[in-house]
Amino acid sequence: MQLEKVKTNGHKLNGFSTEDIGDDHLYTGLETPMKPDAFKLTDAEKKERIGILFEEIMDVMGLDLKDDSLQGTPKRVAKMYIDEIFSGLNPENKPKVALFDNKYQYNQMLVEKNITFYSNCEHHFVPIIGKAHVAYISSGKVIGLSKLNRIVQYYAKRPQVQERLTNQIANELKTILDTEDVAVIIDAKHLCVSSRGIKDDTSSTVTAYYGGQFNTSEKIAELQNYLNN
């Protein structure tokens, strides 16, 4: 089913209900969908509220919350959601990035490959596990290598769609480095595909962004050569 443009109209998306769409992959925009008052509650208040709600979910499922193994689960889940796997929703957790002059006069592409990340599918809230490869050509400034990893992790730690994750990382690098010469490739396995639904454990999803000089067959081939060696 091809949806050229997705619009929300009540419970309809381009005239289709969420039931019609089913497991199809939706990408509604570059920005992560957030409420205007997303940060009205403090992190502590959010954890308290999530703990209460998750306890109710467990109760509805019929789990015995008096069991020693389950008593602390609602609070553990709440802490994990806010402090760990969805910490990228809070802009206060955005990595601080310092730039340095390109004193080495290195004017070729710099590639940081095989950055392992863990994210979560926003459609089913199950893991996306993959590797990101990022590259840029300096416009006069360079960034610390570890900061490339931190930028990937920041945008991965939120409910995501892989296409959006790819573009968010690319746009952040373009803004920080003040250059269009940025490339991002993500190869990931979606547990919503491998552990449920179609239950295909062998496939993976690849998305790419090529900007500036990278958007040429010559540079793409050069980048692929680096990644394959």
Side-chain angles (χ1 to χ4, degrees):
M1 183 184 298
Q2 296 295 322
L3 301 178
E4 294 181 359
K5 190 174 182 182
V6 179
K7 290 184 177 180
T8 301
N9 181 16
H11 293 292
K12 294 287 184 179
L13 297 171
N14 226 24
F16 296 95
S17 70
T18 54
E19 289 76 16
D20 293 330
I21 293 166
D23 289 342
D24 280 354
H25 213 205
L26 298 181
Y27 175 28
T28 57
L30 178 61
E31 298 299 325
T32 301
M34 299 286 286
K35 299 193 306 178
D37 63 347
F39 303 104
K40 180 180 179 180
L41 298 177
T42 66
D43 282 357
E45 290 171 330
K46 288 180 179 180
K47 282 185 274 192
E48 181 179 2
R49 183 68 177 149
I50 291 171
I52 293 169
L53 294 172
F54 201 81
E55 181 175 338
E56 184 175 348
I57 290 172
M58 294 175 67
D59 181 65
V60 170
M61 292 172 63
L63 294 169
D64 182 4
L65 288 160
K66 296 179 181 178
D67 185 89
D68 290 343
S69 180
L70 298 179
Q71 281 185 5
T73 297
K75 289 184 178 180
R76 284 191 292 264
V77 170
K79 185 177 188 300
M80 177 183 67
Y81 274 13
I82 299 300
D83 294 343
E84 299 175 45
I85 64 175
F86 298 131
S87 60
L89 289 173
N90 190 340
E92 291 185 1
N93 295 324
K94 192 172 185 177
K96 306 294 189 297
V97 176
L99 296 181
F100 306 93
D101 291 330
N102 186 9
K103 294 182 180 180
Y104 299 112
Q105 296 300 305
Y106 181 75
N107 298 317
Q108 302 301 312
M109 67 173 71
L110 183 146
V111 183
E112 182 87 353
K113 65 180 185 178
N114 295 325
I115 301 172
T116 300
F117 72 86
Y118 299 88
S119 189
N120 276 266
C121 164
E122 69 181 37
H123 300 137
H124 297 98
F125 271 51
V126 293
I128 302 170
I129 303 170
K131 292 186 182 297
H133 316 290
V134 300
Y136 73 93
I137 299 172
S138 174
S139 63
K141 298 290 184 180
V142 295
I143 187 175
L145 294 179
S146 67
K147 292 299 190 279
L148 296 174
N149 299 62
R150 292 184 185 279
I151 289 169
V152 170
Q153 302 299 345
Y154 172 69
Y155 284 103
K157 290 182 177 180
R158 55 179 70 181
Q160 272 292 12
V161 175
Q162 187 170 325
E163 297 93 325
R164 181 193 297 129
L165 174 61
T166 305
N167 286 335
Q168 285 181 334
I169 294 169
N171 280 1
E172 184 68 17
L173 290 173
K174 289 195 301 180
T175 299
I176 292 172
L177 293 164
D178 192 25
T179 179
E180 293 292 321
D181 302 329
V182 165
V184 178
I185 301 173
I186 291 179
D187 187 346
K189 183 179 289 291
H190 295 240
L191 265 66
C192 60
V193 174
S194 60
S195 67
R196 58 164 306 281
I198 193 65
K199 295 183 180 178
D200 179 357
D201 191 44
T202 59
S203 64
S204 65
T205 301
V206 179
T207 49
Y209 176 95
Y210 300 113
Q213 294 184 54
F214 284 100
N215 199 20
T216 65
S217 57
E218 178 184 349
K219 284 298 182 185
I220 291 173
E222 183 182 349
L223 175 58
Q224 290 294 338
N225 184 55
Y226 283 127
L227 297 180
N228 293 330
N229 291 327

